[in-house]
Amino acid sequence: MALVVNEFVVMVTELLSPLGTVTAKRLFGGWGLYCDGVVFALVAQDVLFLKGDDLCRVQYEAQDMAPFRPHGPDGMCLAYFEVPGDWLEDEDIILPYARIAFDAGLRAAAIKKSRPLKAHFL
């Protein structure tokens, strides 16, 4: 099986590498981005979206970062926010927001880990 390479994803992972070990995995037709094993961003149609939650949503909205709506403008909204394209040219701008996204990912992972496992029945 051939390795799938997306030049945009490669560029973004390199740009965000000062955060830690940034990796990308295929995810529902796009890419999930992980920093040190924690999901903090995704790429869909060569657009970068940063993970958000109630603690950082206001910061993203103050920058006019639109929420990710994978099924169009009237579809459901996911907790990821679109990064302005010009931020991809300036790591001094994007890295603080990527750090916010990583922190949101850490909070989400902690919540997920604290939930009891559900019993599965055959």
Side-chain angles (χ1 to χ4, degrees):
M1 182 173 186
L3 177 64
V4 176
V5 178
N6 177 300
E7 290 181 20
F8 181 80
V9 172
V10 170
M11 182 271 301
V12 169
T13 58
E14 289 172 358
L15 176 66
L16 300 177
S17 67
L19 292 177
T21 301
V22 178
T23 57
K25 296 180 186 175
R26 295 287 291 161
L27 182 70
F28 303 113
W31 297 85
L33 300 184
Y34 298 76
C35 181
D36 300 331
V38 176
V39 66
F40 76 105
L42 60 85
V43 172
Q45 299 178 357
D46 289 346
V47 176
L48 176 64
F49 296 86
L50 296 177
K51 187 167 188 64
D53 62 14
D54 289 340
L55 293 179
C56 62
R57 179 175 281 116
V58 171
Q59 291 170 288
Y60 291 157
E61 290 173 348
Q63 296 297 320
D64 293 324
M65 295 171 69
F68 178 49
R69 296 181 183 275
H71 304 291
D74 296 326
M76 86 174 153
C77 174
L78 298 182
Y80 289 85
F81 295 81
E82 184 174 348
V83 172
D86 59 333
W87 288 16
L88 300 175
E89 299 170 15
D90 190 343
E91 82 175 24
D92 291 335
I93 294 174
I94 195 169
L95 286 177
Y97 286 92
R99 180 52 145 165
I100 291 168
F102 179 62
D103 290 342
L106 289 171
R107 288 189 294 273
I111 290 168
K112 185 176 182 179
K113 190 174 185 180
S114 70
R115 290 185 184 144
L117 294 175
K118 293 181 182 178
H120 296 284
F121 298 98
L122 297 176

